[in-house]
């Protein structure tokens, strides 16, 4: 039924202006035309990210969105250069190389937006 349809990741935020600053200036996303003034819509790769105001912003304690990248380490360095702070999680079987979590050949890193939404980057 939905297997051939596109999906849009959605992230709730409290302050749409602060979110725009973070997603555009720190992550480098480009804003697209949005159906509503208070909703931010970003094209990211072949997908989209919808950022909207909600009183429940930041309450999700799991990863809200993951970007799959060619080089996790280079992406971490670039984001750190823009002031993004990375999280450190202790998962079974995972070691850390700086801000990068390593599990076998899988390399990942997590960070939060200004509302505490958990975002990730993972290697292809």
């Amino acid at each position: 039924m939905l297997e051939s349809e596109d999906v849009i990741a959605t992230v709730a935020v409290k302050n749409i202006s602060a979110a725009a600053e973070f997603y555009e200036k720190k992550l480098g996303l480009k804003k697209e035309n949005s159906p509503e003034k208070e909703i931010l819509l970003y094209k990211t790769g072949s997908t989209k990210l919808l950022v909207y105001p909600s009183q429940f912003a930041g309450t999700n304690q799991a990863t809200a969105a993951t970007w799959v990248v060619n080089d996790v380490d280079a992406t971490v360095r670039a984001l750190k250069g823009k002031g993004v702070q990375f999280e450190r999680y202790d998962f079974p079987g995972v070691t850390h190389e700086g801000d990068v979590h390593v599990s076998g050949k899988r390399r990942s890193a997590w960070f939060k937006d200004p509302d505490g939404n958990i975002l990730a980057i993972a290697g292809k």
Side-chain angles (χ1 to χ4, degrees):
M1 182 171 152
L2 296 177
E3 67 274 4
S4 63
E5 302 300 327
D6 293 331
V7 65
I8 297 174
T10 56
V11 176
V13 298
K14 291 179 183 158
N15 182 321
I16 204 79
S17 296
E21 176 81 13
F22 177 81
Y23 286 96
E24 293 167 29
K25 299 279 169 57
K26 298 209 183 250
L27 303 189
L29 301 184
K30 303 293 184 219
K31 189 166 52 170
E32 290 201 330
N33 289 333
S34 171
E36 297 179 39
K37 182 181 177 188
E38 284 295 309
I39 292 178
L40 302 174
L41 185 63
Y42 298 103
K43 182 160 179 15
T44 173
S46 61
T47 60
K48 294 188 181 184
L49 176 69
L50 186 140
V51 178
Y52 68 99
S54 170
Q55 66 186 24
F56 302 109
T59 60
N60 180 3
Q61 296 302 303
T63 305
T66 302
W67 284 267
V68 181
V69 300
N70 287 323
D71 188 336
V72 172
D73 298 89
T75 304
V76 167
R77 283 191 300 276
L79 291 173
K80 282 185 83 162
K82 293 185 174 198
V84 174
Q85 295 183 339
F86 285 84
E87 301 294 307
R88 186 179 185 106
Y89 300 113
D90 292 318
F91 300 123
V94 173
T95 59
H96 299 95
E97 292 180 13
D99 292 311
V100 177
H101 296 65
V102 181
S103 177
K105 293 184 179 184
R106 186 171 228 3
R107 301 178 73 76
S108 306
W110 284 264
F111 58 97
K112 293 181 179 177
D113 75 1
D115 287 294
N117 292 302
I118 302 168
L119 307 171
I121 53 175
K124 290 185 178 179

